[in-house]
Amino acid sequence: MTERRDFRNDKNRLWRIVLIALSFLFIVAMLVLPLAQVLHGALERGFPPFLKAVSDPYAVIALKLTLLITAMTVVLNTFFGISAAWAITRFEFRGKGFLITLIDLPFAVSPVIAGLVFIMTFGRLGWAYPFLQDWGIRIVFAIPGMVLATIFVTFPFVGRELIPVLTARGTDEEEAAILMGAGFFRTFWKVTFPHMRWALLYGVILCTARAMGEFGAVSVVSGHLRGKTNTLPLHIEILFKEYHTLQSFGAATILVCAAILILIARNVVESVSKKDDFHRARQGV
Amino acid sequence: MNPITEKIPTSDPGDPGPAAAGLSPFAGKIAGTPPATADRAARDADDAANDGSAREPARAPENHVSLSGVRKSFGNFVAADSVSFGLPKGTLGALLGPSGSGKTTILRMIAGLENPDRGDILIDGARVNDVHPSKRGIGFVFQNYALFRYMTVFDNIAFGLRAQKADRNRIRERVNELLTLTDMNGLEKRYPAQLSGGQRQRVAFARALAPSPRLLLLDEPFAAIDAKVRRELRSWLRAMITKLGITSIFVTHDQDEAIEVADLVIITNRGRVEQTGTPLDLYREPATPFVARFVGESTVLEDYGRLLGFENAPRGAKASVRPEFVHVCPPGDPVQYENSAENAEVLSVAFRGSSLEVKVGLKGFVLTTGYSLEHPALSVGEKVKILVWRVYAFEDDKARLVNNSRLESRGNGYNFAI
Amino acid sequence: MSEVAEVLEAPLARGAGRAKRTKKRVIPGFGITMGITMSFVGIIVLVPMLSMALESRALGFGGFWRTIVDARTLNACKVSFFASFVGALVNGFGGLMLAWVIVRYRFPFRRFIDGLIELPFALPTAVAGISLTVLTTDKGWIGKPLFELLGVRVAYTQLGIILAITFVTIPFVVRSVQPVLEQLSPDFEEAGMILGASDFAVFFKIILPEILPALLTGFSLAFARGLGEYGSVIFIAGNIPFKTEIAPLVIMSKLEQFNYDQATAIALVMLAASFAIMFVVNRLQVRSATYAGEK
């Protein structure tokens, strides 16, 4: 943004102050206070009860489950996202638009409906049930189902970040590499990957955040079996409903810390990627 | 106030009048201004060097727009340094210079989009430094046109008049006038995205003119146009502005453009005005080495005193040579001024459409010159005789025409009437 | 002779066919990546969605209709719609203001606020839910002053639902409008200014049309998200049927009662609404691209 002439006069200045003040008010009320509330609620009665809530065995199990599901989801979605981005941006084929719409679909779907959808497919009423029964696989009301539901909900994140970046880059570099004799993996790793590093990281961060916090879909699919299929958000819900407010907030603090880390990570990635692009453009890359 | 019906500007003090030259209405102006401008330029250059204030000359009453000692810096970067020049009413002036020379900054200061740190900007004799852009009577055409994308052509052109709360019928009349003027009739319901580059430029032009400004400013108006359309658009703009008689200034880095279109050229370099003058003046009498190099093609020679006929030159002095200063004697023809002719070797011969471009080497110099296709062909490596008529000698930061002392003067080589 | 001719012609024939598929062949990996992509899309999206459609057939048209027009369901849909709309509207204005202030002004903590915008995305909805609830009860930091000074209750009312939805959808509008504002060339405003337009005129006639598509996109995304929001709303809503029950909750309770058919019916209606909104968003983006044309 070039320096522009600023016709600052009193009217202008007043508007600025009002708008900035309102913005601060909005931010504080809507974002800062809720965060503060969690921490306050958790530490209200001092540190020891907080520690107890955080180290509660059910909480720990729930946390482990959350982490497990998140990890699996992120890995699988990254794998998928890269494949999809590659397929979509490097090739022409019929039905590409339809495919993209399908990938974006989960954005339009309420989490509860997402959970419902999986129950209808793999649950007792689902047509797939008999097959699964034969092989002794439990999907619904068990961890696999929760993973599937979480994957559904976070499906578009990685792909959506990668596709614009790869589309903008074009296929020239890959074609040049192939013509020079490089194989698929080498081309991907050395030519394509450096361009999409930051977009990939960004997508992974978003995916992680969503996966950790997923509530509605998992709630439906999990069956709420405490100690077995409770993720941390579900655990928090149960505690809150049973009026164990303090413990609920205590467990929530863990997720708040994760959220803050995610925010920081996201901001770091964004500013680094901007600098990276800038330098690359300067060098005429 | 209607610049469309108001044709040619009537007499200004100092103007010999259009009848005098009997040719284009601007003939009088061109004949009238150069000597004064050259003086002014010399004084400006002097003052710029001394960082004094060259205020008086630019403020001459016949000038419609003038800048006096204007300075502007962005942080550590000095965009304009003691800039002074003046433009008579009705002239089409060009701010010409390489990228980063400050020309766009100067234009924006005249418009009021930037505030000078020092110095005065006068329009019609009044100081406008503190006047809001919309009150300066200015029309501005942006490099990328900045047409309002969500408004039709009609609405775009009408925008300024509507902002001034003009009468509805008057607005419609005026917009139609401008549509006719810019040959955009029938396109008024279109949106900018549906127009070609040339059409968009014309809409930008019409929009700027709608509120009848007294000064038209254009920021690299042809930069975004295809090369092919550019020439047509240039002549069209030139004709338009002449017809309207509105004082205009445009910014460009293309010297062909400036020379072809403008009445007065202001050459900028690193924030300073190198010279102000008609295109012919700049070409004929460059005041500084930069102008000598920038305008027209030329080669710079180190220690030109080694050339025959220039022995008076100080040791190590530099000069620039234009192609027309060098003459290759066609082999077989009798050589004029045989004693002053130098021996050179043909280094390259290139076809340039209607003539040849020949590079010859001698005494460590490489000189470029033209060679007619009518003469016997030259081959690379051939030894030829050449004559160097004159050079632009660089002295400190000025340039001076120096004739070959051994050759009889044939005048200054540019004897022709406009 | 004919054999030779065959051999000579065969490569040509094959070459012609190959030319069509050459694009895919030059860059490798089509097979693998498409395979992976289709499998994933199939298992995760296509098959489940289709199953949904199929299963609902079992309900029959009559049952479907009865479920939809059931008073409780209708009411829940109304609540969801209304709250999402208002929430998206609030964010429309608030988000625009935030984007404006962040992009165009310089003030302390500006970067901090910019970084904080994504919080609703980073924070689990359940955590947001319990936090907002406690904040706005009659004893909460926000709830107490509001109740004592204005007699307004937020928690366990529709207002609370609106608040929760607003919270969750803050980033949509801000992040939609921000890049457009950042890339908006100052030339437009300068042109308007030179032509004599007042600050207001410049904003409403020049700037606003440029950011309107992004604004509407953000609004639609926020609206769609609000419709389906569950985790942050169920704590603060109180979930009283006919008063503060949202549509996703109705689905949930049908599920808990094993009324799969009815749940599916409602879900389909909501899906239709979401798709309609996504379609609108898509149209908007296409439309704005035509206006922008070549920049």
Side-chain angles (χ1 to χ4, degrees):
Chain A
M1 226 168 55
T2 48
E3 280 194 42
R4 277 185 275 156
R5 171 137 188 198
D6 219 0
F7 280 96
R8 282 191 192 207
N9 50 30
D10 292 327
K11 196 159 66 119
N12 251 319
R13 211 170 281 158
L14 188 62
W15 261 118
R16 267 177 199 245
I17 295 181
V18 166
L19 285 179
I20 296 179
L22 278 179
S23 301
F24 264 106
L25 191 62
F26 192 81
I27 295 282
V28 166
M30 299 294 296
L31 297 180
V32 176
L33 280 185
L35 271 185
Q37 176 69 68
V38 174
L39 294 172
H40 178 260
L43 298 167
E44 219 171 358
R45 289 195 218 122
F47 223 65
F50 168 67
L51 279 178
K52 198 158 150 253
V54 168
S55 52
D56 174 72
Y58 282 131
V60 172
I61 295 180
L63 176 62
K64 282 194 193 156
L65 187 58
T66 299
L67 290 175
L68 174 69
I69 295 181
T70 304
M72 288 178 70
T73 303
V74 169
V75 165
L76 287 170
N77 261 335
T78 306
F79 186 54
F80 161 73
I82 296 179
S83 298
W86 182 270
I88 288 177
T89 61
R90 304 286 150 213
F91 307 110
E92 297 296 323
F93 53 90
R94 271 204 267 142
K96 198 197 270 204
F98 184 60
L99 181 61
I100 296 182
T101 311
L102 278 182
I103 295 181
D104 269 354
L105 198 76
F107 268 168
V109 176
S110 165
V112 170
I113 298 181
L116 173 64
V117 159
F118 279 98
I119 288 195
M120 296 307 288
T121 313
F122 298 111
R124 227 172 357 106
L125 297 178
W127 51 268
Y129 197 67
F131 301 117
L132 298 172
Q133 270 249 300
D134 289 341
W135 286 2
I137 305 177
R138 290 202 66 176
I139 296 206
V140 173
F141 304 136
I143 296 181
M146 298 161 77
V147 174
L148 276 178
T150 312
I151 293 182
F152 179 90
V153 168
T154 56
F155 203 54
F157 280 116
V158 176
R160 278 187 108 220
E161 292 299 322
L162 289 179
I163 289 178
V165 171
L166 287 181
T167 315
R169 280 286 163 184
T171 54
D172 296 344
E173 292 184 31
E174 280 85 5
E175 281 174 358
I178 301 294
L179 286 172
M180 285 193 267
F184 175 58
F185 285 108
R186 180 183 281 249
T187 312
F188 173 75
W189 190 245
K190 297 241 157 170
V191 176
T192 322
F193 190 75
H195 288 323
M196 60 181 212
R197 267 197 300 218
W198 301 118
L200 183 63
L201 197 53
Y202 196 81
V204 165
I205 291 177
L206 290 178
C207 185
T208 310
R210 189 80 167 88
M212 281 185 80
E214 179 42 43
F215 182 71
V218 172
S219 178
V220 168
V221 176
S222 75
H224 291 255
L225 300 171
R226 192 190 283 233
K228 286 244 189 96
T229 59
N230 256 353
T231 58
L232 200 50
L234 292 175
H235 183 63
I236 292 175
E237 177 195 17
I238 295 179
L239 287 173
F240 192 76
K241 282 197 170 148
E242 293 173 353
Y243 295 101
H244 293 142
T245 318
L246 187 85
Q247 287 162 306
S248 168
F249 275 111
T253 316
I254 303 175
L255 288 173
V256 163
C257 293
I260 293 181
L261 283 174
I262 287 174
L263 271 185
I264 295 176
R266 179 217 158 256
N267 282 321
V268 165
V269 168
E270 193 170 2
S271 54
V272 172
S273 85
K274 276 201 192 131
K275 269 192 233 146
D276 202 16
D277 279 339
F278 182 61
H279 281 131
R280 279 163 159 262
R282 274 280 204 72
Q283 289 159 26
V285 168
Chain B
M1 205 176 67
N2 190 342
I4 298 203
T5 50
E6 182 192 320
K7 292 283 178 189
I8 294 130
T10 44
S11 57
D12 280 332
D15 178 4
L23 294 161
S24 100
F26 283 97
K29 294 224 178 308
I30 294 175
T33 28
T37 322
D39 278 342
R40 199 177 297 138
R43 260 183 288 172
D44 282 349
D46 263 328
D47 288 334
N50 302 329
D51 194 33
S53 32
R55 293 178 194 274
E56 296 324 311
R59 283 188 197 235
E62 74 264 18
N63 278 336
H64 193 202
V65 189
S66 58
L67 269 68
S68 245
V70 167
R71 184 190 160 89
K72 173 77 178 171
S73 45
F74 294 107
N76 285 333
F77 175 65
V78 179
D81 189 5
S82 199
V83 168
S84 305
F85 64 86
L87 221 66
K89 191 159 180 170
T91 354
L92 175 51
L95 279 161
L96 170 68
S99 300
S101 56
K103 51 194 195 299
T104 303
T105 310
I106 295 173
L107 193 79
R108 286 171 65 88
M109 284 194 282
I110 299 175
L113 295 171
E114 307 282 356
N115 226 355
D117 300 328
R118 266 214 301 261
D120 298 325
I121 301 175
L122 290 94
I123 301 182
D124 235 346
R127 184 174 186 273
V128 295
N129 289 42
D130 301 319
V131 177
H132 193 273
S134 60
K135 306 262 190 300
R136 295 191 188 190
I138 287 186
F140 199 101
V141 177
F142 289 83
Q143 186 170 345
N144 290 310
Y145 318 132
L147 294 182
F148 304 134
R149 302 195 285 208
Y150 292 86
M151 295 187 208
T152 59
V153 166
F154 190 96
D155 291 331
N156 262 282
I157 300 179
F159 190 83
L161 294 164
R162 288 194 181 137
Q164 290 165 11
K165 313 263 197 284
D167 164 59
R168 288 258 305 261
N169 291 322
R170 179 80 191 93
I171 293 180
R172 203 161 0 116
E173 248 177 68
R174 179 86 176 127
V175 174
N176 283 327
E177 266 176 65
L178 286 160
L179 285 169
T180 314
L181 180 75
T182 54
D183 204 20
M184 295 285 290
N185 273 316
L187 296 173
E188 61 264 20
K189 292 258 190 297
R190 292 224 192 151
Y191 286 88
Q194 298 164 304
L195 301 173
S196 71
Q199 289 170 327
R200 285 185 212 164
Q201 217 244 25
R202 284 184 272 159
V203 175
F205 188 65
R207 182 178 71 176
L209 285 176
S212 310
R214 50 186 177 166
L215 178 62
L216 183 64
L217 303 173
L218 307 104
D219 186 1
E220 308 228 27
F222 307 110
I225 310 263
D226 305 334
K228 212 164 155 216
V229 186
R230 204 174 288 178
R231 307 221 72 177
E232 289 167 25
L233 227 46
R234 261 193 233 166
S235 341
W236 175 82
L237 191 70
R238 170 81 243 197
M240 249 340 102
I241 293 183
T242 309
K243 186 169 168 187
L244 299 171
I246 182 173
T247 312
S248 313
I249 307 179
F250 74 100
V251 160
T252 180
H253 57 266
D254 183 341
Q255 50 144 325
D256 291 330
E257 204 165 277
I259 290 181
E260 196 181 302
V261 178
D263 298 322
L264 200 69
V265 179
I266 302 134
I267 298 203
T268 56
N269 182 30
R270 289 196 239 176
R272 308 200 133 207
V273 172
E274 295 268 339
Q275 187 175 357
T276 306
T278 66
L280 199 52
D281 283 345
L282 261 45
Y283 195 79
R284 194 167 58 176
E285 291 170 52
T288 69
F290 176 80
V291 178
R293 274 192 299 244
F294 192 75
V295 179
E297 295 168 40
S298 56
T299 321
V300 174
L301 307 175
E302 308 257 342
D303 199 12
Y304 72 96
R306 292 185 278 139
L307 287 173
L308 290 178
F310 296 98
E311 292 84 351
N312 291 328
R315 283 198 65 184
K318 293 196 210 180
S320 77
V321 178
R322 294 215 201 278
E324 52 266 29
F325 295 169
V326 178
H327 175 75
V328 172
C329 305
D333 280 11
V335 179
Q336 275 184 307
Y337 308 102
E338 193 139 8
N339 294 334
S340 315
E342 306 244 24
N343 293 315
E345 178 183 336
V346 174
L347 297 176
S348 76
V349 179
F351 179 60
R352 289 284 177 253
S354 50
S355 64
L356 295 172
E357 184 191 83
V358 173
K359 288 202 208 293
V360 295
L362 75 155
K363 297 183 177 171
F365 298 129
V366 175
L367 302 176
T368 309
T369 185
Y371 187 76
S372 169
L373 290 166
E374 299 292 308
H375 294 313
L378 295 172
S379 36
V380 175
E382 194 173 330
K383 300 273 186 275
V384 289
K385 292 233 181 254
I386 68 164
L387 296 167
V388 181
W389 291 105
R390 61 192 61 84
V391 299
Y392 285 125
F394 294 168
E395 285 159 18
D396 299 325
D397 58 350
K398 297 208 210 341
R400 194 169 64 89
L401 198 63
V402 171
N403 286 318
N404 189 325
S405 54
R406 291 191 184 200
L407 299 172
E408 270 171 35
S409 175
R410 282 164 80 189
N412 60 11
Y414 292 105
N415 276 338
F416 57 92
I418 298 167
Chain C
M1 180 70 153
S2 56
E3 255 184 40
V4 174
E6 256 188 296
V7 169
L8 283 175
E9 273 173 23
L12 283 172
R14 259 187 281 133
R18 194 172 282 156
K20 254 207 267 172
R21 294 172 294 167
T22 306
K23 190 96 201 250
K24 294 178 195 161
R25 293 281 175 87
V26 172
I27 300 181
F30 184 67
I32 316 178
T33 53
M34 273 307 275
I36 297 177
T37 307
M38 295 310 291
S39 322
F40 264 84
V41 171
I43 300 178
I44 304 285
V45 181
L46 210 50
V47 167
M49 299 302 287
L50 284 177
S51 310
M52 267 277 283
L54 286 173
E55 288 298 331
S56 69
R57 289 253 214 93
L59 190 59
F61 192 69
F64 187 85
W65 187 249
R66 257 174 285 127
T67 317
I68 306 298
V69 281
D70 171 66
R72 184 177 167 207
T73 312
L74 273 184
N75 199 277
C77 286
K78 259 193 263 173
V79 170
S80 275
F81 248 77
F82 179 69
S84 303
F85 188 80
V86 174
L89 206 61
V90 168
N91 266 323
F93 288 104
L96 175 59
M97 176 180 73
L98 280 171
W100 183 270
V101 163
I102 291 176
V103 172
R104 298 174 72 107
Y105 299 160
R106 298 279 172 272
F107 53 90
F109 295 114
R110 183 184 69 100
R111 290 244 205 95
F112 177 69
I113 291 187
D114 191 18
L116 207 54
I117 300 280
E118 242 89 11
L119 183 65
F121 280 172
L123 199 65
T125 50
V127 173
I130 60 174
S131 181
L132 286 172
T133 309
V134 173
L135 257 183
T136 53
T137 55
D138 292 347
K139 291 180 235 123
W141 292 346
I142 295 183
K144 190 146 173 265
L146 276 178
F147 184 59
E148 288 177 0
L149 294 174
L150 299 169
V152 166
R153 279 212 161 89
V154 179
Y156 311 122
T157 65
Q158 283 204 12
L159 207 51
I161 302 179
I162 295 176
L163 180 69
I165 290 183
T166 307
F167 174 87
V168 175
T169 52
I170 286 178
F172 283 113
V173 174
V174 179
R175 291 308 188 217
S176 219
V177 173
Q178 217 176 329
V180 180
L181 268 182
E182 272 169 8
Q183 284 161 19
L184 195 61
S185 167
D187 288 353
F188 294 114
E189 294 172 63
E190 284 177 351
M193 180 167 68
I194 293 183
L195 288 166
S198 66
D199 284 343
F200 272 121
V202 168
F203 177 75
F204 281 104
K205 288 200 196 165
I206 301 176
I207 301 182
L208 198 56
E210 294 273 339
I211 57 179
L212 202 58
L215 197 56
L216 287 176
T217 304
F219 176 87
S220 310
L221 288 173
F223 187 44
R225 172 70 191 260
L227 278 184
E229 185 53 32
Y230 179 73
S232 55
V233 176
I234 54 164
F235 298 101
I236 199 172
N239 306 322
I240 309 162
F242 291 102
K243 275 222 192 133
T244 56
E245 196 180 31
I246 52 169
L249 184 56
V250 175
I251 298 180
M252 189 62 132
S253 39
K254 299 275 184 214
L255 277 178
E256 281 169 355
Q257 295 156 24
F258 300 106
N259 255 329
Y260 289 119
D261 302 332
Q262 293 191 0
T264 312
I266 306 175
L268 281 173
V269 169
M270 289 193 66
L271 274 177
S274 301
F275 290 156
I277 297 178
M278 293 298 274
F279 184 72
V280 165
V281 170
N282 193 277
R283 289 286 101 201
L284 276 175
Q285 286 172 333
V286 168
R287 198 156 172 271
S288 85
T290 10
Y291 269 111
E294 306 147 25
K295 249 179 138 204

